[in-house]
Amino acid sequence: MGDIVVEHSGTPHYEALNLQNVTTCENDADLVQSFSGGYLPEDSTHEEKSTCTEALDRGYLEYGCSHYRRRCRIIAPCCNEMFDCRHCHNEYKNNINVDQKLRHEIPRHKVERVICSLCDTEQEVRQVCINCGVCMGRYFCETCKLFDDDISKRQYHCNGCGICRIGGMENFFHCPKCRCCYSVLLRNSHPCVEGAMHHDCPVCFEYLFESINDVTVMPCGHTIHKNCLKEMQEHYQYACPLCSKSVCDMSKVWEKFDMEIAATPMPEPYQDKKVWILCNDCGITSEVQFHFVAQKCPCCKSYNTRQIRGR
């Protein structure tokens, strides 16, 4: 079972502000990269370097919301209202107190206008304010319209997903069949499921591809919120809600079933009773001895089975 860290909005080499696969205004990119690297052209004076650094750095980590540290706000193209970020918009516009007919989510890639948090200048989406010269986000993705000053998240933009993620590009790979990014630890071991992330969580029904909560992939290849899986296990539910395969190693549990069945002989009328079962773990259909407690798969030794018919 592997974890997926999902941010849904921007990414690569987090040391540099103008990251690969992220397009910015050429002048902005040059300016911010110079700032990030702590240098300006050699012929620049000490005063010029100091002034540029101070202009870009003003308000760093002092502005933003609970989702992002950034020095700008966005104008939502769907309702023409101002919000700190797209998550703030979606939470407000999908509140239970809002008329259901008016609820909606922001089309993140269509954001065209932002407002500088320091000078309140409205302008086109760009990394450096055209009025006061402040860097509105050390991480900036023009595709996702994402600004974030907290580059410790190691944001990167995945062209395959079409969105930005966190955790560092070197730690993830994009699976074209699953259509999502997984940890490199799962590169040669994860079972591919078509569009694995492009569905609702089977527990809370939140759309996983847009979720800001951690997602995990189960051994069967299906995905689920990490907290939802934990809650399932706290209620002794150890099977995938979609395909019923075991979500963890159940060998110790099966040993206890063996002991319980051995200690519980069947009444004489049922001692020769046979039934057909389908194993949820290996998918094999078998005829086995019936028992009130459970039926064991003779192929994989799992008790995660279901009776499909009698003899």
Side-chain angles (χ1 to χ4, degrees), residues 138-156:
R138 286 198 177 183
Y139 176 80
F140 171 65
C141 175
E142 190 176 42
T143 301
C144 296
K145 311 300 189 291
L146 176 66
F147 300 79
D148 199 350
D149 272 336
D150 183 8
I151 57 175
S152 66
K153 298 176 184 176
R154 304 179 69 185
Q155 304 93 327
Y156 71 97

Side-chain angles (χ1 to χ4, degrees), residues 160-188:
C161 291
I163 59 176
C164 292
R165 298 190 177 279
I166 62 174
M169 175 178 279
E170 70 279 7
N171 297 317
F172 295 89
F173 75 98
H174 181 83
C175 176
K177 182 175 181 180
C178 296
R179 290 188 288 144
C180 61
C181 289
Y182 288 132
S183 167
V184 292
L185 299 175
L186 299 175
R187 186 186 295 276
N188 299 315

Side-chain angles (χ1 to χ4, degrees), residues 240-260:
C240 172
L242 298 175
C243 66
S244 297
K245 291 184 182 294
S246 298
V247 299
C248 56
D249 182 8
M250 299 290 289
S251 57
K252 297 297 182 182
V253 178
W254 302 155
E255 289 176 6
K256 291 182 179 180
F257 270 71
D258 286 337
M259 292 187 289
E260 185 173 352

Side-chain angles (χ1 to χ4, degrees), residues 7-11 17 22-24 67-70 72 74 84-87 108-109 111 114 125-127 136-149 153 155-157 163-166:
E7 172 60 37
H8 299 298
S9 279
T11 175
L17 303 185
V22 179
T23 306
T24 65
H67 307 105
Y68 302 107
R69 295 283 88 193
R70 51 171 34 166
C72 67
I74 62 173
D84 284 321
C85 73
R86 70 180 187 89
H87 296 302
R108 77 175 79 177
H109 297 103
V111 173
V114 297
V125 172
R126 55 183 293 151
Q127 190 170 16
M136 294 185 283
R138 286 198 177 183
Y139 176 80
F140 171 65
C141 175
E142 190 176 42
T143 301
C144 296
K145 311 300 189 291
L146 176 66
F147 300 79
D148 199 350
D149 272 336
K153 298 176 184 176
Q155 304 93 327
Y156 71 97
H157 182 84
I163 59 176
C164 292
R165 298 190 177 279
I166 62 174

Side-chain angles (χ1 to χ4, degrees), residues 81-222:
E81 296 181 31
M82 180 180 68
F83 293 90
D84 284 321
C85 73
R86 70 180 187 89
H87 296 302
C88 292
H89 169 279
N90 293 342
E91 289 175 1
Y92 182 78
K93 291 298 182 178
N94 289 301
N95 189 282
I96 193 171
N97 296 319
V98 176
D99 188 325
Q100 192 167 4
K101 294 180 180 179
L102 299 178
R103 296 176 190 175
H104 66 279
E105 296 194 352
I106 190 172
R108 77 175 79 177
H109 297 103
K110 293 183 179 180
V111 173
E112 297 179 347
R113 309 290 295 177
V114 297
I115 297 176
C116 176
S117 297
L118 277 76
C119 69
D120 292 326
T121 300
E122 183 174 340
Q123 56 201 284
E124 293 182 354
V125 172
R126 55 183 293 151
Q127 190 170 16
V128 176
C129 177
I130 58 174
N131 181 50
C132 67
V134 72
C135 174
M136 294 185 283
R138 286 198 177 183
Y139 176 80
F140 171 65
C141 175
E142 190 176 42
T143 301
C144 296
K145 311 300 189 291
L146 176 66
F147 300 79
D148 199 350
D149 272 336
D150 183 8
I151 57 175
S152 66
K153 298 176 184 176
R154 304 179 69 185
Q155 304 93 327
Y156 71 97
H157 182 84
C158 174
N159 289 325
C161 291
I163 59 176
C164 292
R165 298 190 177 279
I166 62 174
M169 175 178 279
E170 70 279 7
N171 297 317
F172 295 89
F173 75 98
H174 181 83
C175 176
K177 182 175 181 180
C178 296
R179 290 188 288 144
C180 61
C181 289
Y182 288 132
S183 167
V184 292
L185 299 175
L186 299 175
R187 186 186 295 276
N188 299 315
S189 60
H190 82 284
C192 284
V193 173
E194 186 71 36
M197 287 277 288
H198 295 261
H199 63 81
D200 296 339
C201 172
V203 174
C204 69
F205 303 111
E206 180 186 10
Y207 187 51
L208 290 173
F209 197 71
E210 297 287 339
S211 176
I212 61 175
N213 298 313
D214 288 348
V215 177
T216 187
V217 56
M218 295 177 282
C220 57
H222 291 123

Side-chain angles (χ1 to χ4, degrees), residues 12-29:
H13 309 302
Y14 68 98
E15 294 83 4
L17 303 185
N18 182 29
L19 309 173
Q20 69 181 64
N21 298 330
V22 179
T23 306
T24 65
C25 170
E26 183 177 354
N27 292 334
D28 286 357

